[in-house]
Amino acid sequence: MSIDTDVLIAGAGMSGLGFAVQLVRKFGTQSFELIEKADDVGGTWNINSYPGCGCDVPSHFYSYSFALNPHWSRKYSMQSEIQAYFRSVADRYNIIPHIRFHSTVETATWEEESSTWLISIKDTRTGAMQQRRSRVFISAVGALSVPKECEIPGAEDFKGHIFHSSRWDHSFKWADKDVVVLGNGCSATQFVPILTTGPSPVHHLTQFARQAHFLAARIDFAYSSSFKSLMRYMPLAMRLYRAKLYADMERDFAGFDITTGASIREGLKQENRAYVEQMAPERYVEALVPRTTIGCKRKVLDTGYLACLHSKNMKLVADDPVVGIEEEGVVTEAGRKVKADAIVLATGFATHQMLFPMEIRGREGVSLNDHWEKESAGAPSAYFGTCVPSFPNFFILMGPNTVTGHLSVIYTVECQINFALRLIAPILRSSRPSLLSSLLPSSSTVAVTAQAARYDSDWLQSRLTKLVWSSGCRTWALHPETGQNIMMYPDPQYMFWLRSLWVRWGDFEY
């Protein structure tokens, strides 16, 4: 039976692109394909284009360790520069010819007889279907790829523009218009200041917020030409600067322990309140200071949001939620009607529908969702957030329990990539016989054992009960049905890195 490719990757965002590049760098292979639903690489940084979109992790750390960039323009880069960075990495390693754009993986089925994945791919423009067979299947679709749908009754009746912030409607010209914003997370705090105080401000913006977030000052600045020259001509200096950024962020983990981090959190809580009182109008302070434990939700760096609350064309509503949508606007719980030319949904993503809408079937035809239903009442889980028993040669990037509350997702994903590459090395060797490969072990399949996966899951959940995400606050990290934390990793990230280096080979069957 013919093999179309050694490795097929669903998604050409940050994680899928990184995996493809490392296949080239470490194995020299060109036998891989990427399936991408959009028109370019970059994932969330290609799709998200709302006004003010930027990153809350310093640029020199929000980049691949194998593709450092001395040319970052500022400490916290904006979307267009980040997207250009990912495109430059793809061009440098000639990844683009391996990508099938405007396509999605519909189904992936493990076939035991041939030890391969049979993958059905849909062209989203024509609807045409095609099948590809690969030895290894990588899910790199990310946790923030499916926006939450609007669940408020009457949305279909609204006559104006209604869209999710991650699918910004650029045909809408907001100058002198009335806008309603639902939500106050990271994206909203970035685009609301642009709409209210930018060069073409709205007539009026009403923002409805359900929960307050911990806001901190963002100390941003442009890098000088001399600094960029230093980064370019002294790579060691760039490595040291990156290490300093890592150390500064990694220290925050100490505050996540419910018991030992209490004093750290109390200091941060007071610091947060003082900042809000200094920057925001007095009438909004109580609505902007969270009652939950600090650290339970990732802090939001203030990009002018608190300052824009002073504007006459801006109103924050935190005690009268929207319960309905009509032709001309929204209706609140108190019965108040707010006119709107546009409604922007800053309501987050369907993080609990992991790997949605792909249908993935492992051994004996069992679907991934059915496996999770049997093992953990529907809560997604994976060994090291990467491997699932009974799903050989299958790896999840940005999988369950790989999120950090304080660091860069790229760091985490690189650890997963290096971990997966160690595991599939014998499989790639078996597909390309050579004198060297004949001297090394080779295999056609690898899968984590069920016992190891259960032990890893039990350890994770036991450790997580001691950290702030289990302190009683509402957080997207918790599975809505089981209450199980399916997102966060319960150790400092250098421990995650060490696990990626020292593989417990006894936990796997070849």
Side-chain angles (χ1 to χ4, degrees), residues 31-330:
S31 182
F32 61 89
E33 297 177 7
L34 297 95
I35 308 302
E36 171 56 47
K37 64 181 178 181
D39 59 355
D40 203 351
V41 299
T44 188
W45 296 107
N46 177 47
I47 295 172
N48 281 269
S49 58
Y50 59 81
C53 181
C55 190
D56 63 355
V57 176
S59 307
H60 277 275
F61 196 68
Y62 196 81
S63 49
Y64 299 121
S65 64
F66 53 80
L68 299 189
N69 176 25
H71 306 295
W72 290 115
S73 65
R74 57 190 317 104
K75 184 176 181 181
Y76 296 98
S77 293
M78 304 303 286
Q79 175 264 340
S80 59
E81 187 173 11
I82 298 171
Q83 163 62 12
Y85 164 76
F86 286 122
R87 178 68 195 215
S88 71
V89 173
D91 290 338
R92 186 189 317 174
Y93 290 96
N94 197 34
I95 302 299
I96 300 301
H98 296 267
I99 306 176
R100 185 176 306 190
F101 293 110
H102 301 288
S103 301
T104 58
V105 170
E106 299 290 296
T107 63
T109 304
W110 174 254
E111 297 197 340
E112 194 73 37
E113 185 177 348
S114 61
S115 296
T116 60
W117 283 95
L118 185 61
I119 300 165
S120 298
I121 300 164
K122 180 179 181 179
D123 186 311
T124 57
R125 292 171 298 185
T126 66
M129 299 292 297
Q130 184 181 15
Q131 288 190 328
R132 304 290 286 174
R133 189 176 296 276
S134 70
R135 300 180 190 278
V136 177
F137 178 43
I138 308 293
S139 168
V141 297
L144 304 179
S145 59
V146 181
K148 282 186 179 178
E149 298 291 337
C150 181
E151 299 177 347
I152 301 174
E156 65 280 0
D157 298 326
F158 184 60
K159 289 186 175 180
H161 297 252
I162 183 168
F163 52 90
H164 195 277
S165 60
S166 67
R167 303 291 187 270
W168 194 269
D169 183 356
H170 290 280
S171 70
F172 173 63
K173 308 303 179 185
W174 63 79
D176 298 321
K177 299 290 176 53
D178 293 318
V179 177
V180 164
V181 175
L182 305 181
N184 68 331
C186 183
S187 60
T189 58
Q190 290 182 346
F191 70 74
V192 165
I194 304 295
L195 270 60
T196 54
T197 63
S200 303
V202 298
H203 173 259
H204 195 272
L205 187 147
T206 306
Q207 182 183 26
F208 293 89
R210 291 186 303 173
Q211 298 184 65
H213 293 264
F214 285 99
L215 286 146
R218 185 175 80 159
I219 311 302
D220 193 17
F221 49 83
Y223 289 126
S224 66
S225 56
S226 57
F227 178 86
K228 287 187 277 189
S229 295
L230 176 66
M231 296 293 101
R232 180 179 182 183
Y233 296 111
M234 294 189 66
L236 179 59
M238 186 160 51
R239 291 280 176 190
L240 291 173
Y241 181 56
R242 178 183 169 94
K244 169 68 165 55
L245 294 172
Y246 161 77
D248 289 344
M249 290 184 286
E250 186 72 286
R251 280 202 303 266
D252 288 348
F253 187 84
F256 292 155
D257 190 287
I258 292 176
T259 304
T260 61
S263 61
I264 297 174
R265 293 195 303 277
E266 183 59 31
L268 292 173
K269 182 179 178 180
Q270 298 304 323
E271 180 182 309
N272 170 81
R273 185 177 184 93
Y275 179 71
V276 172
E277 290 177 342
Q278 175 190 357
M279 299 298 296
E282 184 178 355
R283 66 184 182 277
Y284 290 141
V285 169
E286 294 307 316
L288 292 166
V289 175
R291 303 291 184 265
T292 55
T293 303
I294 193 167
C296 191
K297 291 190 174 184
R298 186 169 178 134
K299 66 183 177 184
V300 176
L301 298 186
D302 184 17
T303 55
Y305 173 70
L306 295 181
C308 86
L309 293 174
H310 290 277
S311 302
K312 292 182 180 179
N313 63 348
M314 169 71 194
K315 183 176 183 180
L316 175 64
V317 181
D319 58 357
D320 189 16
V322 172
V323 295
I325 298 176
E326 297 181 336
E327 291 184 356
E328 303 297 330
V330 301

Side-chain angles (χ1 to χ4, degrees), residues 211-498:
Q211 298 184 65
H213 293 264
F214 285 99
L215 286 146
R218 185 175 80 159
I219 311 302
D220 193 17
F221 49 83
Y223 289 126
S224 66
S225 56
S226 57
F227 178 86
K228 287 187 277 189
S229 295
L230 176 66
M231 296 293 101
R232 180 179 182 183
Y233 296 111
M234 294 189 66
L236 179 59
M238 186 160 51
R239 291 280 176 190
L240 291 173
Y241 181 56
R242 178 183 169 94
K244 169 68 165 55
L245 294 172
Y246 161 77
D248 289 344
M249 290 184 286
E250 186 72 286
R251 280 202 303 266
D252 288 348
F253 187 84
F256 292 155
D257 190 287
I258 292 176
T259 304
T260 61
S263 61
I264 297 174
R265 293 195 303 277
E266 183 59 31
L268 292 173
K269 182 179 178 180
Q270 298 304 323
E271 180 182 309
N272 170 81
R273 185 177 184 93
Y275 179 71
V276 172
E277 290 177 342
Q278 175 190 357
M279 299 298 296
E282 184 178 355
R283 66 184 182 277
Y284 290 141
V285 169
E286 294 307 316
L288 292 166
V289 175
R291 303 291 184 265
T292 55
T293 303
I294 193 167
C296 191
K297 291 190 174 184
R298 186 169 178 134
K299 66 183 177 184
V300 176
L301 298 186
D302 184 17
T303 55
Y305 173 70
L306 295 181
C308 86
L309 293 174
H310 290 277
S311 302
K312 292 182 180 179
N313 63 348
M314 169 71 194
K315 183 176 183 180
L316 175 64
V317 181
D319 58 357
D320 189 16
V322 172
V323 295
I325 298 176
E326 297 181 336
E327 291 184 356
E328 303 297 330
V330 301
V331 181
T332 71
E333 189 174 66
R336 189 165 59 96
K337 296 186 178 183
V338 180
K339 179 180 177 297
D341 296 298
I343 300 172
V344 183
L345 308 171
T347 49
F349 296 84
T351 55
H352 304 130
Q353 299 178 26
M354 202 162 285
L355 278 63
F356 181 84
M358 291 189 295
E359 181 182 343
I360 301 171
R361 294 189 174 275
R363 283 178 169 149
E364 299 181 359
V366 175
S367 74
L368 187 58
N369 287 332
D370 286 345
H371 170 82
W372 282 335
E373 189 66 40
K374 177 183 176 182
E375 293 294 323
S376 50
S381 63
Y383 179 96
F384 196 58
T386 311
C387 306
V388 181
S390 298
F391 289 78
N393 298 7
F394 173 58
F395 303 89
I396 308 171
L397 302 182
M398 294 182 66
N401 297 105
T402 56
V403 176
T404 79
H406 64 298
L407 217 59
S408 165
V409 67
I410 297 184
Y411 180 98
T412 304
V413 165
E414 277 203 63
C415 292
Q416 286 189 280
I417 291 172
N418 293 334
F419 177 78
L421 290 177
R422 285 174 167 80
L423 291 172
I424 68 172
I427 296 166
L428 296 183
R429 281 196 293 266
S430 69
S431 68
R432 296 190 308 280
S434 66
L435 177 60
L436 178 60
S437 65
S438 67
L439 302 175
L440 297 171
S442 63
S443 180
S444 60
T445 65
V446 60
V448 66
T449 67
Q451 181 180 2
R454 290 192 191 100
Y455 179 87
D456 188 58
S457 178
D458 290 345
W459 170 80
L460 275 169
Q461 297 306 318
S462 174
R463 177 82 177 100
L464 284 164
T465 60
K466 303 172 184 177
L467 303 177
V468 291
W469 305 292
S470 298
S471 61
C473 63
R474 290 173 55 192
T475 169
W476 58 276
L478 302 182
H479 190 257
E481 279 79 38
T482 65
Q484 182 172 306
N485 192 320
I486 62 172
M487 290 293 170
M488 314 308 294
Y489 189 74
D491 261 344
Q493 282 298 283
Y494 74 86
M495 295 294 290
F496 194 82
W497 170 68
L498 288 174

